[in-house]
Amino acid sequence: MKISEIQNLSIAELEAKLKELNSELFNLRFSHATRSLTNPKQMTNVKKDIARVKTVIREKEIAAAANGGNNGK
């Protein structure tokens, strides 16, 4: 997922996406533990997507606080 796609989402959508990515990471870890994961690089990509989403959420929270309100929520 590209950062430009992530930045266009609202905070509620970002939180939903974060929950979805965490669930996907759990499933990938489970598959990896049972040796049925075909591409271990998927785990790295999902972890990076999680970090991107968390970064954008934090940026929007900081911007909302600087504007004196909850404009991003």
Side-chain angles (χ1 to χ4, degrees):
M1 181 171 236
K2 293 184 178 183
I3 192 72
S4 59
E5 296 171 4
I6 296 171
Q7 288 175 334
N8 291 331
L9 300 174
S10 69
I11 289 184
E13 292 170 329
L14 288 170
E15 289 173 351
K17 186 68 174 172
L18 183 60
K19 185 179 270 191
E20 175 187 326
L21 288 169
N22 281 326
S23 176
E24 183 178 348
L25 182 60
F26 173 79
N27 291 332
L28 287 171
R29 284 181 174 156
F30 187 76
S31 295
H32 185 64
T34 59
R35 301 192 188 276
S36 63
L37 184 64
T38 57
N39 185 7
K41 183 71 175 166
Q42 288 176 310
M43 287 176 51
T44 303
N45 292 337
V46 171
K47 287 179 185 179
K48 288 181 180 182
D49 284 343
I50 289 171
R52 287 183 188 111
V53 169
K54 285 184 175 182
T55 300
V56 172
I57 288 173
R58 185 66 182 137
E59 286 174 351
K60 289 187 179 210
E61 288 173 349
I62 290 170
N67 290 336
N70 292 329
N71 295 337
K73 292 186 179 180

